[in-house]
Amino acid sequence: MKFLQILFVAIVAFEHIYFMILEMFFWDKPKGLKTFGHKLEDAKNSKILAKNQGLYNGFLAAGLIWAIISENNFKEIALFFLICVTIAGIYGAYTTRKRKLFFVQSIPALIGIVLILLNI
């Protein structure tokens, strides 16, 4: 495994740990409200959905960490979870109409995919 491959997988994993924390614990707090651009009432009404969404982000992070610590299947595991992250970022950017989401979530995952496929 090359350093850059592991680095980008780790970056994407840490991003999703951060997303999980924001969505599960700070959704209706000042940091979450500012990050997601919600009003307090709307955030309180959608808090349960956000916790669920945060849990899924935690699963993505766990899968990426699994890839890093895997001795035999780094490429396969990392590619699967990076592709999941990429699709989630594309879908999220499309459905929320927030292009920034694509750049924050999908671009690092796409870079990781390219690095792995090119074996860089």
Side-chain angles (χ1 to χ4, degrees):
M1 286 182 270
K2 305 281 184 179
F3 174 76
L4 283 176
Q5 293 172 348
I6 295 171
L7 176 66
F8 271 89
V9 171
I11 288 169
V12 176
F14 286 120
E15 276 186 327
H16 282 77
I17 290 169
Y18 180 66
F19 300 156
M20 178 192 73
I21 292 167
L22 280 174
E23 292 165 347
M24 293 186 81
F25 305 109
F26 294 100
W27 185 256
D28 59 350
K29 307 292 186 275
K31 177 68 175 170
L33 296 172
K34 182 179 177 187
T35 300
F36 298 107
H38 295 299
K39 295 179 182 172
L40 180 58
E41 185 177 337
D42 294 333
K44 287 188 179 204
N45 290 333
S46 61
K47 188 174 183 176
I48 298 300
L49 292 173
K51 286 180 180 270
N52 189 355
Q53 185 172 298
L55 186 62
Y56 284 98
N57 278 310
F59 290 143
L60 291 171
L64 292 165
I65 293 167
W66 174 33
I68 292 169
I69 64 174
S70 174
E71 293 182 21
N72 299 317
N73 300 324
F74 169 78
K75 180 179 178 180
E76 295 82 3
I77 298 168
L79 284 174
F80 174 79
F81 283 98
L82 290 171
I83 290 167
C84 289
V85 167
T86 301
I87 293 168
I90 291 167
Y91 185 76
Y94 174 75
T95 57
T96 63
R97 293 187 167 84
K98 294 181 181 177
R99 289 178 37 197
K100 180 181 177 182
L101 196 125
F102 172 77
F103 293 102
V104 169
Q105 188 169 359
S106 293
I107 294 296
L110 284 168
I111 292 169
I113 290 168
V114 169
L115 291 171
I116 291 168
L117 291 176
L118 295 177
N119 202 24
I120 296 174

